[in-house]
C-alpha cells in the first residue's frame, strides 16, 4: 500500500513545479506555494460551479469562466517570476470582487453566497503570516493582513446587501435555487475552507522542515576548522558548542596527538 505521507509530498511537488527559476527566500517560497495552491483551488471550484450551474444566467456563467481564466493567469504569472506577495494581494482583491459581483446575480440576497467572503481573511491569514525577521520563517499567527481581509469581507457583504436593496442585480429574473444546488454549494464551501486550511498547514510544515534542515548545517573553515556562528563571526568549535548548548565540552587528547607529544619529549 502507498505511504500516506507520500500524498503531501506529491502535492508539494505539484506546487513547486510553478516555482520560477530563481532563488527564493523561505518566506517567498511559502507565499508562492500558498498562491499556487489557492489558484488551483479557485480554478477547480470555478469549473465545478460552471458545470453544475446549467440553468444559471449567461452573466453568472461569464463571471465563472472569467474567474477560472484569471486563476490560470495567476499560475502563469507565478511561473514567470512575478513576486508572490503581489500575486497574493491581487488574488484576494480578485476573489472579493468576484464574490461580490456573483452575489448580485439574483434578485434577493442569498446569505449562503455571502458566506464565501470569509475566504478573504482566511486567505490573507495564510499567505501573510507574522514573520520572524531574524529567521525569515513563517509562523502560525496572522497580522494586519487578516484584519484587512476581515474588514474587506464585511464591507463587501454590506455593499452586496445595499445593492440588492436598490435593485442592482444585473437585471436578473427572480429565481430560487433548488435544494440540491444549495446542498452542493454548502458541501463545496466546507470542502474549500477545509482544503485551504490543509494547504496552509502543509506549507507551514514544509517550510519549518526546510528551516530545521538548514539549521542543522554547520559551516566551518576547511583550513583552520573554525565554525561560522549565526551572527557571522568565526569561533572555535568548542566555543560554538558551548554557545548553542549542543553538548557539554571537556578536553582530552586523541591517540595521534598523544604520540606526537610523547615523541617530541
Amino acid at each position: 500500500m502507498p505511504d500516506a505521507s507520500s500524498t503531501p509530498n506529491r502535492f508539494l511537488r505539484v506546487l513547486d513545479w510553478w516555482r520560477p527559476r530563481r532563488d527564493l527566500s523561505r518566506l517567498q517560497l511559502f507565499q508562492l506555494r500558498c498562491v499556487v495552491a489557492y489558484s488551483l483551488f479557485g480554478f477547480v471550484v470555478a469549473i465545478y460551479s460552471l458545470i453544475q450551474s446549467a440553468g444559471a444566467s449567461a452573466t453568472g456563467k461569464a463571471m465563472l469562466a472569467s474567474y477560472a481564466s484569471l486563476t490560470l493567469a495567476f499560475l502563469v504569472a507565478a511561473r514567470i517570476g512575478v513576486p508572490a506577495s503581489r500575486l497574493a494581494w491581487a488574488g484576494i482583491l480578485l476573489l472579493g470582487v468576484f464574490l461580490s459581483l456573483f452575489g448580485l446575480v439574483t434578485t434577493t440576497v442569498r446569505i449562503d453566497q455571502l458566506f464565501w467572503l470569509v475566504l478573504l481573511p482566511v486567505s490573507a491569514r495564510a499567505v501573510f503570516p507574522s514573520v520572524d525577521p531574524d529567521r525569515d520563517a513563517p509562523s502560525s499567527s496572522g497580522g494586519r493582513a487578516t484584519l484587512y481581509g476581515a474588514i474587506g469581507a464585511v464591507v463587501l457583504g454590506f455593499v452586496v446587501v445595499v445593492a440588492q436593496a436598490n435593485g442592482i442585480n444585473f437585471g436578473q429574473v427572480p429565481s430560487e435555487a433548488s435544494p440540491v444546488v444549495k446542498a452542493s454549494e454548502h458541501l463545496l464551501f466546507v470542502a474549500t475552507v477545509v482544503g485551504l486550511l490543509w494547504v496552509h498547514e502543509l506549507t507551514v510544515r514544509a517550510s519549518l522542515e526546510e528551516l530545521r534542515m538548514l539549521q542543522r548545517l554547520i559551516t566551518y573553515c576547511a583550513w583552520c576548522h573554525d565554525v561560522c556562528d549565526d551572527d557571522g563571526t568565526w569561533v572555535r568549535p568548542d566555543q560554538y558548542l558551548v554557545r548553542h548548548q549542543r553538548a557539554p565540552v571537556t578536553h582530552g587528547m586523541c591517540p595521534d596527538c598523544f604520540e606526537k607529544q610523547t615523541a617530541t619529549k
Side-chain angles (χ1 to χ4, degrees):
M1 294 178 62
D3 187 4
S5 62
S6 62
T7 300
N9 294 332
R10 286 196 295 266
F11 189 71
L12 281 176
R13 285 196 293 269
V14 172
L15 301 183
D16 290 342
W17 187 88
W18 300 93
R19 180 176 178 175
R21 299 182 181 277
R22 60 182 177 85
D23 293 333
L24 299 175
S25 67
R26 287 187 291 275
L27 177 60
Q28 290 172 336
L29 179 59
F30 171 82
Q31 291 179 330
L32 177 69
R33 285 170 172 171
C34 288
V35 169
V36 170
Y38 281 34
S39 298
L40 291 174
F41 265 101
F43 176 77
V44 171
V45 170
I47 294 300
Y48 172 81
S49 300
L50 190 61
I51 293 174
Q52 65 94 22
S53 60
S57 64
T59 303
K61 292 181 180 179
M63 289 181 182
L64 289 170
S66 300
Y67 185 74
S69 301
L70 288 173
T71 55
L72 290 180
F74 273 77
L75 293 173
V76 174
R79 178 68 173 177
I80 64 178
V82 177
S85 58
R86 296 181 182 179
L87 288 176
W89 279 121
I92 293 173
L93 178 62
L94 172 65
L95 179 61
V97 172
F98 166 74
L99 292 175
S100 301
L101 293 178
F102 198 76
L104 294 176
V105 189
T106 178
T107 56
T108 57
V109 176
R110 287 184 53 188
I111 300 300
D112 57 331
Q113 288 184 344
L114 297 182
F115 287 166
W116 285 86
L117 290 171
V118 76
L119 295 180
L120 301 185
V122 169
S123 302
R125 179 191 182 280
V127 183
F128 297 99
S130 298
V131 177
D132 182 351
D134 295 329
R135 298 185 180 275
D136 188 29
S139 68
S140 59
S141 61
R144 290 186 177 181
T146 306
L147 177 61
Y148 296 155
I151 293 175
V154 172
V155 170
L156 289 174
F158 277 106
V159 169
V160 172
V161 172
V162 172
Q164 287 281 8
N166 288 273
I168 303 175
N169 55 14
F170 297 100
Q172 301 303 303
V173 297
S175 61
E176 179 65 23
S178 66
V180 175
V181 172
K182 288 185 177 181
S184 64
E185 288 181 354
H186 172 70
L187 176 62
L188 187 62
F189 174 76
V190 174
T192 301
V193 174
V194 173
L196 294 181
L197 293 176
W198 176 77
V199 168
H200 175 247
E201 179 66 21
L202 177 63
T203 50
V204 167
R205 289 206 311 266
S207 298
L208 293 178
E209 181 61 30
E210 292 166 359
L211 177 60
R212 283 192 289 267
M213 181 187 68
L214 292 175
Q215 288 177 332
R216 289 195 294 265
L217 298 178
I218 300 177
T219 302
Y220 75 98
C221 177
W223 283 264
C224 68
H225 295 171
D226 280 355
V227 178
C228 182
D229 209 341
D230 295 339
D231 58 1
T233 60
W234 291 83
V235 298
R236 298 194 311 270
D238 58 328
Q239 292 176 329
Y240 181 85
L241 292 175
V242 170
R243 284 187 182 184
H244 294 268
Q245 298 180 351
R246 294 177 180 268
V249 178
T250 185
H251 297 283
M253 181 177 289
C254 69
D256 292 339
C257 290
F258 180 79
E259 292 180 3
K260 291 178 183 179
Q261 292 296 323
T262 56
T264 56
K265 294 183 180 181

